[in-house]
Amino acid sequence: MTKTVPRGADRQDAIADAAIRLVATRGLRGLTHRAVDAEAGLPPGSTSYYLRTRNALLTACVSRMLTRDVAGMPPAGADPVELMVAMTAGLAQDRPDDLVARYELSLEASRQPELRTAIVEGGRQLRAMLAQLLTGLDVPDPEAAAWPVAAMLDGLMYDRVAGTGTTLSPEAFEAAVRRSVTALIAGLRDGL
């Protein structure tokens, strides 16, 4: 069976997906235009046609992960705590490569202003959505509270893919996330 080569926006998504996998599995040193072409199963030169520079390739990774994060948001109406738990545990379970790549790219962004801008903007969008969930939980000043909540959730996901959290079963990890979110929300409501 012949594999269909994606075109247009599908090709750009395939390039970004391949780049994310490479960053997650080989680190930033393993990310080259040629390696992305091979990983995506595309003809040589495809990646450089769409993304001429390394910075453009790195920024495409950030943009693609943000698109998947937003698309993966559960529908509104469910319990906000359960939504945060499901998003955190689900991302760690279903998209660990995205998390590893995100941490690699975040460190690189400390030296690359253009990449830093993309990461900061993506984080701003995700924190705005988190603030909406916090509003539903009657957390005072949800916009300000979104930053520490996001930082805690990110720390839990980091530990899941790169720390001692790797030893937990999926059920134990989800339970730990639930306890952490519940305690933090209670503290935020009480003004701690």
Side-chain angles (χ1 to χ4, degrees):
M1 181 175 204
T2 304
K3 183 179 175 183
T4 303
V5 177
R7 301 267 180 226
D10 289 340
R11 182 172 281 200
Q12 291 176 51
D13 289 347
I15 288 168
D17 292 344
I20 291 165
R21 282 192 304 276
L22 286 170
V23 171
T25 58
R26 297 183 192 173
L28 288 170
R29 291 179 126 183
L31 182 68
T32 65
H33 285 77
R34 188 176 300 174
V36 173
D37 288 341
E39 179 73 17
L42 296 172
S46 296
T47 298
S48 62
Y49 175 80
Y50 288 99
L51 303 164
R52 302 288 299 154
T53 66
R54 182 172 175 79
N55 275 343
L57 185 55
L58 296 174
T59 302
C61 290
V62 172
S63 177
R64 180 70 172 147
M65 287 186 288
L66 177 62
T67 298
R68 289 200 291 236
D69 287 347
V70 171
M73 292 289 191
D79 175 74
V81 169
E82 289 306 311
L83 289 175
M84 284 185 267
V85 171
M87 290 181 319
T88 303
L91 185 56
Q93 176 72 32
D94 302 334
R95 293 176 34 219
D97 281 357
D98 279 21
L99 293 176
V100 172
R102 180 176 295 155
Y103 303 130
E104 291 266 355
L105 291 164
S106 293
L107 291 172
E108 182 67 16
S110 68
R111 298 174 292 277
Q112 304 267 351
E114 185 178 321
L115 182 58
R116 166 69 74 201
T117 299
I119 287 177
V120 167
E121 180 53 35
R124 192 173 294 128
Q125 289 178 40
L126 292 173
R127 283 190 302 279
M129 290 188 289
L130 184 56
Q132 290 175 349
L133 292 176
L134 296 174
T135 297
L137 291 167
D138 298 323
V139 169
D141 197 0
E143 289 79 20
W147 177 79
V149 173
M152 183 197 70
L153 297 175
D154 200 43
L156 289 166
M157 290 184 291
Y158 177 85
D159 189 63
R160 179 64 173 159
V161 298
T164 57
T166 60
T167 63
L168 298 175
S169 70
E171 296 79 19
F173 177 70
E174 185 174 326
V177 171
R178 183 171 283 104
R179 283 191 306 275
S180 299
V181 169
T182 301
L184 182 59
I185 297 303
L188 289 169
R189 281 182 182 150
D190 293 341
L192 298 177

